[in-house]
C-alpha cells in the first residue's frame, strides 16, 4: 500500500513537472508577444527568468527531483499574473489573438497537409522550406515554421521522457 502511494505521488509530480514545462513555455511566448508589441515596457527580465526556469525544470525533471516542480509552477503562474500588471492592453491583445491564430493556422486547407508533414518529419519540412523558398514563399514559410516547432517539440519531449525514464 505504501509503495503504491509513493509510486502514485511520483507520477503526479512527474506530470506536474511536464505541465509546468508547458505553462512556462506559454509564459515565454506571452512575454515575447508583449516585447514585440510594446515599446514602453522592457520585459526582458521575465523572458530571461522564464528561459532559466524552463532549463532548470528540464534538468530537475531529468534528475528525478520532482519536488521543485511546485517552485516552477508558482513562478509561471505569478509571472503570467504580473504580465497583466505590466501591460493590460497587450495582455488582452495576446489572449484575443490566440483564437484567430488557431483558426488561420488550422483552417488553411491548402497548407495544413504540408504543415503536418513538416511538423512530424521536421527534416522534410526544412527541405521543403529550401525547395520552395523562391517559388512559393507562403508554403516555404509555413513548412519552415512547422519544422522548427516540430524540432523543438521533439527535443523537449525527448529530454522530458529520458528524464522520467532514466
Amino acid at each position: 500500500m505504501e509503495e503504491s502511494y509513493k509510486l502514485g505521488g511520483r507520477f503526479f509530480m512527474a506530470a506536474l513537472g511536464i505541465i509546468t514545462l508547458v505553462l512556462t513555455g506559454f509564459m515565454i511566448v506571452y512575454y515575447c508577444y508583449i516585447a514585440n508589441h510594446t515599446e514602453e515596457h522592457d520585459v526582458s527580465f521575465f523572458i530571461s527568468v522564464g528561459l532559466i526556469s524552463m532549463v532548470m525544470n528540464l534538468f530537475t525533471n531529468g534528475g528525478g527531483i520532482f519536488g521543485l516542480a511546485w517552485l516552477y509552477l508558482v513562478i509561471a503562474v505569478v509571472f503570467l499574473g504580473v504580465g497583466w500588471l505590466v501591460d493590460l492592453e497587450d495582455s488582452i491583445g495576446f489572449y484575443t489573438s490566440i483564437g484567430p491564430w488557431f483558426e488561420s493556422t488550422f483552417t488553411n486547407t491548402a497548407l495544413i497537409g504540408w504543415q503536418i508533414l513538416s511538423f512530424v518529419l521536421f527534416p522534410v519540412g526544412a527541405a521543403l522550406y529550401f525547395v520552395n523558398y523562391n517559388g512559393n514563399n507562403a508554403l516555404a514559410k509555413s513548412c519552415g515554421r512547422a519544422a522548427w516547432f516540430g524540432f523543438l517539440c521533439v527535443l523537449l519531449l525527448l529530454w522530458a521522457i529520458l528524464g522520467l525514464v532514466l
Side-chain angles (χ1 to χ4, degrees):
M1 176 73 176
E2 185 178 319
E3 187 171 315
S4 67
Y5 176 74
K6 287 181 182 178
L7 187 62
R10 182 165 171 81
F11 282 129
F12 172 75
M13 293 304 291
L16 182 66
I18 292 172
I19 290 168
T20 304
L21 279 174
V22 172
L23 189 61
T24 304
F26 179 78
M27 179 196 65
I28 293 169
V29 170
Y30 170 63
Y31 277 107
C32 287
Y33 177 90
I34 290 176
N36 286 333
H37 288 87
T38 186
E39 294 180 14
E40 57 196 46
H41 300 293
D42 182 20
V43 293
S44 60
F45 169 76
F46 298 107
I47 296 171
S48 300
V49 171
L51 290 172
I52 292 168
S53 178
M54 174 76 78
V55 172
M56 288 175 60
N57 194 356
L58 284 167
F59 279 123
T60 55
N61 286 349
I65 308 169
F66 299 114
L68 290 174
W70 291 105
L71 173 68
Y72 305 127
L73 178 67
V74 168
I75 290 171
V77 169
V78 166
F79 276 22
L80 284 171
V82 169
W84 287 91
L85 298 173
V86 170
D87 197 341
L88 182 63
E89 283 184 33
D90 285 331
S91 295
I92 292 170
F94 172 74
Y95 286 107
T96 56
S97 70
I98 293 173
W101 178 82
F102 270 104
E103 183 180 346
S104 68
T105 301
F106 296 112
T107 60
N108 189 351
T109 56
L111 298 177
I112 191 73
W114 294 109
Q115 290 172 336
I116 292 172
L117 176 71
S118 298
F119 180 80
V120 173
L121 302 171
F122 57 86
V124 173
L128 285 170
Y129 171 78
F130 289 112
V131 167
N132 293 307
Y133 186 73
N134 289 331
N136 190 350
N137 204 9
L139 176 63
K141 285 183 180 180
S142 178
C143 289
R145 189 176 301 126
W148 270 111
F149 285 137
F151 174 72
L152 290 175
C153 285
V154 165
L155 186 68
L156 288 176
L157 284 173
L158 184 65
W159 197 346
I161 290 170
L162 286 177
L164 293 175
V165 173
L166 299 177

